[in-house]
Amino acid sequence: MTDDTGGREPEREGTRDGIVPDTKDWTWVIERPCDECGFDPTGVDPLAVGDAVRATVPAWQGVLARPEVRRRPAPGVWSPLEYAAHVRDVFRVFDERLALMLATDGAAFPNWDQDAAAVAGGYAQADPAVVATELAAAAGAVADRFDTVRVDQLERVGRRSNGSTFTVRTFGRYFLHDVVHHLHDVRA
């Protein structure tokens, strides 16, 4: 949900690791509620994103402790372990992107292909205990960075290569939706 393809099919050889790439443009979640997971961006306090991220960690820890954590619920759908590894990497990528936005107004984000990251990172073969530790650390790091955001920085801009533009305010909404939505995906 966080790749930089902007709703167009990326150039690749079909599916990777049996997963069909998500090519939808999810940027609409910065303005209106998500019918799938119930996330409402209008309720996001841009100066409390760090606390909201920290609040998701126990749920992710519970997901990673499930006996069936490696089981894919259907062909072409990530397992809870794969979703958790993805969220760990989302925390890392958004931490880097937020740092860019805070350092440079108008920052351009490097591309990130979430599907290639899943294959290269061996999400399906990962150790759930290691992912749990790494996810908590990455959540802490991005939450700490969001805690540094000042009111006068909320309108700073960052831009994906596909043209999607965010302010720090809308970036926090988009990011938080991704984390919450994936908890919905794994029924947590």
Side-chain angles (χ1 to χ4, degrees), residues 95-115:
D95 187 27
E96 293 169 5
R97 289 179 174 186
L98 180 58
L100 284 172
M101 292 175 80
L102 296 176
T104 306
D105 193 13
F109 302 147
N111 286 331
W112 183 54
D113 183 330
Q114 65 185 15
D115 301 302

Side-chain angles (χ1 to χ4, degrees), residues 2 19 23 56 67 79 108 137 153 176:
T2 54
I19 301 296
T23 58
T56 69
S79 69
Q153 294 174 311
L176 199 53

Side-chain angles (χ1 to χ4, degrees), residues 39-49 52 169 172-174 176-177:
F39 178 84
D40 184 355
T42 62
V44 174
D45 176 349
L47 299 178
V49 172
R169 178 187 311 275
R173 290 176 180 174
Y174 182 78
L176 199 53
H177 169 262

